[in-house]
Tab-separated table of all heavy atoms in Angstrom:
chain	number	residue	atom	x	y	z
F	59	GLY	N	12.751	32.236	-22.242
F	59	GLY	CA	12.913	32.352	-23.692
F	59	GLY	C	12.291	33.622	-24.240
F	59	GLY	O	12.889	34.303	-25.081
F	60	ARG	N	11.108	33.960	-23.750
F	60	ARG	CA	10.463	35.199	-24.202
F	60	ARG	C	11.232	36.419	-23.747
F	60	ARG	O	11.362	37.402	-24.486
F	60	ARG	CB	9.026	35.257	-23.700
F	60	ARG	CG	8.110	34.359	-24.462
F	60	ARG	CD	6.682	34.601	-24.121
F	60	ARG	NE	5.837	33.682	-24.893
F	60	ARG	CZ	4.590	33.422	-24.606
F	60	ARG	NH1	4.018	33.997	-23.577
F	60	ARG	NH2	3.910	32.592	-25.342
F	61	THR	N	11.729	36.380	-22.522
F	61	THR	CA	12.511	37.503	-22.018
F	61	THR	C	13.773	37.683	-22.846
F	61	THR	O	14.138	38.816	-23.194
F	61	THR	CB	12.877	37.284	-20.535
F	61	THR	OG1	11.680	37.086	-19.794
F	61	THR	CG2	13.648	38.451	-19.978
F	62	THR	N	14.431	36.607	-23.180
F	62	THR	CA	15.650	36.686	-23.986
F	62	THR	C	15.341	37.243	-25.366
F	62	THR	O	16.077	38.090	-25.889
F	62	THR	CB	16.291	35.293	-24.122
F	62	THR	OG1	16.554	34.768	-22.827
F	62	THR	CG2	17.596	35.359	-24.887
F	63	ALA	N	14.245	36.814	-25.949
F	63	ALA	CA	13.892	37.307	-27.287
F	63	ALA	C	13.445	38.763	-27.257
F	63	ALA	O	13.832	39.552	-28.119
F	63	ALA	CB	12.776	36.439	-27.873
F	64	ASN	N	12.637	39.146	-26.254
F	64	ASN	CA	12.135	40.519	-26.188
F	64	ASN	C	13.222	41.531	-25.841
F	64	ASN	O	13.185	42.667	-26.306
F	64	ASN	CB	11.002	40.625	-25.171
F	64	ASN	CG	9.758	39.909	-25.617
F	64	ASN	OD1	9.568	39.655	-26.807
F	64	ASN	ND2	8.914	39.544	-24.672
F	65	GLN	N	14.161	41.142	-25.025
F	65	GLN	CA	15.221	42.061	-24.614
F	65	GLN	C	16.398	42.049	-25.578
F	65	GLN	O	17.322	42.827	-25.416
F	65	GLN	CB	15.716	41.693	-23.210
F	65	GLN	CG	14.669	41.817	-22.139
F	65	GLN	CD	14.281	43.260	-21.886
F	65	GLN	OE1	15.102	44.156	-21.959
F	65	GLN	NE2	13.004	43.479	-21.602
F	66	SER	N	16.384	41.140	-26.533
F	66	SER	CA	17.527	40.952	-27.446
F	66	SER	C	18.813	40.771	-26.655
F	66	SER	O	19.835	41.380	-26.951
F	66	SER	CB	17.650	42.130	-28.415
F	66	SER	OG	16.529	42.183	-29.264
F	67	MET	N	18.743	39.934	-25.640
F	67	MET	CA	19.909	39.672	-24.793
F	67	MET	C	20.914	38.828	-25.563
F	67	MET	O	20.555	37.968	-26.343
F	67	MET	CB	19.500	38.931	-23.526
F	67	MET	CG	18.649	39.735	-22.608
F	67	MET	SD	18.234	38.726	-21.193
F	67	MET	CE	17.227	39.864	-20.286
F	68	SER	N	22.179	39.078	-25.316
F	68	SER	CA	23.234	38.344	-25.980
F	68	SER	C	24.370	38.120	-24.986
F	68	SER	O	24.715	39.011	-24.217
F	68	SER	CB	23.742	39.118	-27.187
F	68	SER	OG	24.833	38.456	-27.760
F	69	ILE	N	24.912	36.930	-25.007
F	69	ILE	CA	26.065	36.628	-24.164
F	69	ILE	C	27.254	36.401	-25.091
F	69	ILE	O	27.246	35.467	-25.904
F	69	ILE	CB	25.822	35.383	-23.285
F	69	ILE	CG1	24.661	35.647	-22.334
F	69	ILE	CG2	27.074	35.003	-22.523
F	69	ILE	CD1	24.260	34.450	-21.513
F	70	ALA	N	28.245	37.260	-24.972
F	70	ALA	CA	29.465	37.168	-25.772
F	70	ALA	C	29.165	37.114	-27.268
F	70	ALA	O	29.768	36.360	-28.013
F	70	ALA	CB	30.310	35.975	-25.340
F	71	GLY	N	28.179	37.895	-27.715
F	71	GLY	CA	27.894	37.982	-29.135
F	71	GLY	C	27.024	36.867	-29.691
F	71	GLY	O	26.878	36.752	-30.904
F	72	SER	N	26.441	36.044	-28.844
F	72	SER	CA	25.552	34.973	-29.317
F	72	SER	C	24.272	35.566	-29.896
F	72	SER	O	23.814	36.616	-29.471
F	72	SER	CB	25.190	34.030	-28.183
F	72	SER	OG	26.346	33.433	-27.653
F	73	ASP	N	23.694	34.880	-30.839
F	73	ASP	CA	22.459	35.326	-31.478
F	73	ASP	C	21.297	35.177	-30.486
F	73	ASP	O	21.052	34.083	-29.975
F	73	ASP	CB	22.214	34.494	-32.733
F	73	ASP	CG	21.002	34.957	-33.519
F	73	ASP	OD1	20.536	36.085	-33.277
F	73	ASP	OD2	20.536	34.181	-34.367
F	74	PRO	N	20.544	36.247	-30.190
F	74	PRO	CA	19.424	36.154	-29.251
F	74	PRO	C	18.337	35.185	-29.686
F	74	PRO	O	17.724	34.524	-28.848
F	74	PRO	CB	18.884	37.580	-29.179
F	74	PRO	CG	19.979	38.448	-29.663
F	74	PRO	CD	20.786	37.620	-30.616
F	75	ASP	N	18.085	35.064	-30.989
F	75	ASP	CA	17.066	34.125	-31.464
F	75	ASP	C	17.472	32.683	-31.173
F	75	ASP	O	16.645	31.861	-30.774
F	75	ASP	CB	16.824	34.298	-32.970
F	75	ASP	CG	16.136	35.625	-33.292
F	75	ASP	OD1	15.407	36.122	-32.407
F	75	ASP	OD2	16.332	36.131	-34.404
Side-chain angles (χ1 to χ4, degrees):
R60 284 190 180 163
T61 303
T62 303
N64 291 339
Q65 297 291 325
S66 295
M67 294 179 181
S68 175
I69 298 175
S72 300
D73 184 16
D75 291 333

